């Protein structure tokens, strides 16, 4: 089985996670794929293959060189709740020529809408039929890691130490690292293969918090409501208007943070607004949380104490503060990319990654490209050549680390 076949086979499994679940993993179907992967890793000859009850799968490729740091590679196998991951029909567009791609009747992926297609002219693209996502996020990463381990297994002339790999559920709902066994994984550092287009390398991400704004209204017959009714719908609208219009996802980029209103549940008697708060700068992140509390206090001063309740919870922090003291972890990747003919694209993540939480658990873990583009939707695609480059980078990283003591 080659890299392309392995990836397309993985996409046949529906592994969508669910935000409203209270179980781990969040969906039973993720365990079906995890069990399949476990058998595949055993068949490929990896050691210490272990699947725990929460769906975390670990394995080892034994080293052929002594005195080498143990490093790891990690990917998640769940797909996003944003788009169906069931009955995925992947197909290959060979030698893409830059024209529109007919995914299925009436559904076209066009470079006019997705100009990133033009960066992959002459390559072979794996696409969907326009009705589901593809699952390159992050089954491309899994396929690349497994293929890299098979390559190292079959090429003993390539020196490497013990390599640990892990595949986890529920990354797409922010829970992927919560039950990760960092101590049992036993690595000096690791890399998530969960980035986008070829060359991407990320070791900065948002600081993140969730916020729930809970509003208690007072419902009175509208004919007799004067000076009595507090309409939670109206209070919710006024709260939302207090947050700056130019600090939303649709108006920000790069290192700019934002407040993002995810949803509203509302009637006269009560309302609930769900937000996420994001900023790369830790001080600005804390300022954002304080400002949201100030908005809640302002509403209570206007409508009465206890009308608005704010519940905030930190989700993850910027891994940069954990990576900066160990920049050799990044230097190795830059070296490996250059050796593989890949131009590095170092950029901040405008989002999160399991690597952020793992870095704060004591496992420095930057993020490397897996090749997928347009994640979480029916126009997702991945270049076969990009996946091959990712595999080569993994192999070269292992080789470079083995040369530490030379």
């Amino acid at each position: 089985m080659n890299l392309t076949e392995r990836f397309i086979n993985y996409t046949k499994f529906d592994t969508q996670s669910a935000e409203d679940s209270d179980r781990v993993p969040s969906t039973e179907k993720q365990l079906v794929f995890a069990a399949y992967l476990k058998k595949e890793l055993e068949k490929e000859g990896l050691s210490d293959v272990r699947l725990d009850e929460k769906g975390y799968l670990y394995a080892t490729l034994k080293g052929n060189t002594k005195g080498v740091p143990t490093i790891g590679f990690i990917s998640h196998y769940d797909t996003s709740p944003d788009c169906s991951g069931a009955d995925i029909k992947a197909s290959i567009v060979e030698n893409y020529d830059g024209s529109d791609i007919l995914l299925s009747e009436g559904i076209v992926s066009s470079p006019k809408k997705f100009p990133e297609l033009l960066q992959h002219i002459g390559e072979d693209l794996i696409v969907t039929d326009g009705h589901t996502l593809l699952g390159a996020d992050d089954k491309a990463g899994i396929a690349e890691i497994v293929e890299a381990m098979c390559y190292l297994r079959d090429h003993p002339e390539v020196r490497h130490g013990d390599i640990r790999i892990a595949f986890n559920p529920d990354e797409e709902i922010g829970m992927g690292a919560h039950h990760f066994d960092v101590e049992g994984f036993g690595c000096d550092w690791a890399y998530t293969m969960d980035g986008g287009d070829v060359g991407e390398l990320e070791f900065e991400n948002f600081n993140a918090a969730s916020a729930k704004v809970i509003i208690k209204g007072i419902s009175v017959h509208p004919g007799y409501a004067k000076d009595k009714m507090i309409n939670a719908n109206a209070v919710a609208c006024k709260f939302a208007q207090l947050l700056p219009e130019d600090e939303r996802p649709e108006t920000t980029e790069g290192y700019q943070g934002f407040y993002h209103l995810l949803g509203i549940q509302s009637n006269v008697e009560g309302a609930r607004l769900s937000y996420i708060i994001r900023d790369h700068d830790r001080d600005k992140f804390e300022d954002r949380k304080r400002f949201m509390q100030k908005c809640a206090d302002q509403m209570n001063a206007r409508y009465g104490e206890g009308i608005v309740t704010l519940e905030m919870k930190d989700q993850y922090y910027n891994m940069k503060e954990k990576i900066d003291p160990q920049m050799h972890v990044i230097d190795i990747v830059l070296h490996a990319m250059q050796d593989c003919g890949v131009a590095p694209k170092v950029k901040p993540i405008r989002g999160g990654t399991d690597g952020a939480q793992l870095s704060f658990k004591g496992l420095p873990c930057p993020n490397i490209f897996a090749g997928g583009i347009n994640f979480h939707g029916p126009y997702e695609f991945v270049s076969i050549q990009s996946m091959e480059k990712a595999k080569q980078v993994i192999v070269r990283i292992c080789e470079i680390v083995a040369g530490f003591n030379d």
Side-chain angles (χ1 to χ4, degrees):
M1 186 180 297
N2 63 30
L3 176 55
T4 302
E5 293 169 337
R6 197 181 297 274
F7 168 69
I8 291 178
N9 184 43
Y10 292 166
T11 67
K12 296 176 183 177
F13 290 84
D14 180 6
T15 56
Q16 192 177 47
S17 48
E19 292 182 293
D20 57 355
S21 173
D22 58 2
R23 55 162 292 161
V24 180
S26 62
T27 54
E28 182 72 24
K29 56 191 175 184
Q30 292 185 72
L31 290 175
V32 175
F33 182 52
Y36 171 86
L37 270 179
K38 178 177 184 291
K39 291 180 181 179
E40 183 172 284
L41 296 180
E42 291 170 339
K43 180 180 177 182
E44 296 292 4
L46 274 76
S47 306
D48 310 320
V49 181
R50 176 171 68 92
L51 176 62
D52 69 21
E53 70 281 358
K54 296 185 184 298
Y56 289 72
L57 178 60
Y58 308 93
T60 305
L61 178 70
K62 294 295 187 182
N64 57 22
T65 304
K66 301 294 185 181
V68 175
T70 299
I71 63 171
F73 295 91
I74 301 167
S75 290
H76 66 90
Y77 55 77
D78 66 313
T79 61
S80 171
D82 294 345
C83 184
S84 174
D87 194 25
I88 293 171
K89 294 180 176 63
S91 63
I92 301 174
V93 179
E94 296 182 350
N95 193 23
Y96 175 61
D97 62 5
S99 62
D100 289 355
I101 301 172
L102 181 64
L103 302 179
S104 58
E105 186 176 354
I107 305 177
V108 174
S109 181
S110 172
K112 293 178 182 177
K113 186 173 183 180
F114 304 108
E116 51 270 32
L117 282 164
L118 299 177
Q119 302 300 315
H120 297 278
I121 291 176
E123 299 178 10
D124 304 311
L125 309 183
I126 305 176
V127 300
T128 76
D129 67 352
H131 295 286
T132 68
L133 48 67
L134 178 62
D137 180 14
D138 190 24
K139 289 170 183 168
I142 297 174
E144 291 153 7
I145 292 170
V146 175
E147 278 293 307
M149 296 304 103
C150 291
Y151 181 90
L152 290 169
R153 176 201 64 197
D154 295 338
H155 292 80
E157 73 277 8
V158 180
R159 299 170 59 212
H160 63 87
D162 285 352
I163 310 298
R164 293 280 283 157
I165 65 174
F167 306 131
N168 60 268
D170 290 340
E171 189 271 352
E172 296 293 358
I173 59 172
M175 302 291 289
H178 283 208
H179 302 282
F180 195 102
D181 182 8
V182 171
E183 183 177 354
F185 197 46
C187 289
D188 293 272
W189 70 86
Y191 301 97
T192 50
M193 300 298 299
D194 192 21
D197 207 355
V198 63
E200 289 186 5
L201 171 60
E202 301 156 325
F203 59 95
E204 298 181 66
N205 60 276
F206 277 139
N207 296 289
S210 63
K212 306 294 183 186
V213 182
I214 303 164
I215 301 169
K216 295 179 181 178
I218 298 176
S219 181
V220 179
H221 188 290
Y224 308 95
K226 189 174 188 306
D227 298 327
K228 298 175 184 177
M229 176 186 287
I230 297 179
N231 189 332
N233 296 302
V235 177
C237 291
K238 289 184 182 298
F239 183 94
Q241 290 170 353
L242 291 175
L243 299 177
E245 287 189 18
D246 61 350
E247 296 182 22
R248 298 173 179 171
E250 61 267 35
T251 59
T252 55
E253 62 184 352
Y255 285 96
Q256 296 172 322
F258 58 73
Y259 306 91
H260 180 36
L261 178 58
L262 294 174
I264 302 174
Q265 297 172 309
S266 182
N267 56 36
V268 174
E269 287 191 322
R272 184 182 183 94
L273 293 81
S274 299
Y275 283 91
I276 58 173
I277 305 168
R278 301 289 188 264
D279 210 297
H280 282 93
D281 185 279
R282 186 66 173 267
D283 291 336
K284 291 180 180 178
F285 173 64
E286 297 299 334
D287 287 342
R288 289 187 181 278
K289 291 191 294 180
R290 283 190 287 268
F291 180 74
M292 186 163 270
Q293 183 62 59
K294 181 180 178 180
C295 291
D297 295 342
Q298 182 177 332
M299 299 302 287
N300 282 327
R302 177 172 178 177
Y303 292 101
E305 191 62 36
I307 294 298
V308 175
T309 302
L310 176 63
E311 297 177 355
M312 284 188 292
K313 182 179 180 181
D314 286 1
Q315 296 171 307
Y316 51 84
Y317 303 109
N318 190 344
M319 73 169 90
K320 187 176 187 295
E321 64 181 85
K322 298 297 182 181
I323 300 296
D324 275 351
Q326 304 192 59
M327 282 301 289
H328 66 280
V329 172
I330 301 301
D331 293 338
I332 289 167
V333 183
L334 294 173
H335 186 176
M337 286 186 180
Q338 290 164 355
D339 288 350
C340 295
V342 173
K345 303 172 185 175
V346 180
K347 66 173 191 175
I349 307 172
R350 284 187 60 79
T353 171
D354 283 341
Q357 297 182 49
L358 292 172
S359 293
F360 279 87
K361 283 185 160 187
L363 180 65
C365 197
N367 193 39
I368 300 174
F369 72 94
I373 299 173
N374 294 339
F375 291 155
H376 299 187
Y379 299 98
E380 182 182 3
F381 72 91
V382 65
S383 159
I384 292 174
Q385 285 77 9
S386 293
M387 289 198 297
E388 288 286 352
K389 283 295 184 183
K391 183 196 82 171
Q392 293 170 18
V393 168
I394 294 170
V395 170
R396 184 60 183 138
I397 287 171
C398 298
E399 192 174 20
I400 291 171
V401 172
F404 263 15
N405 297 326
D406 291 350

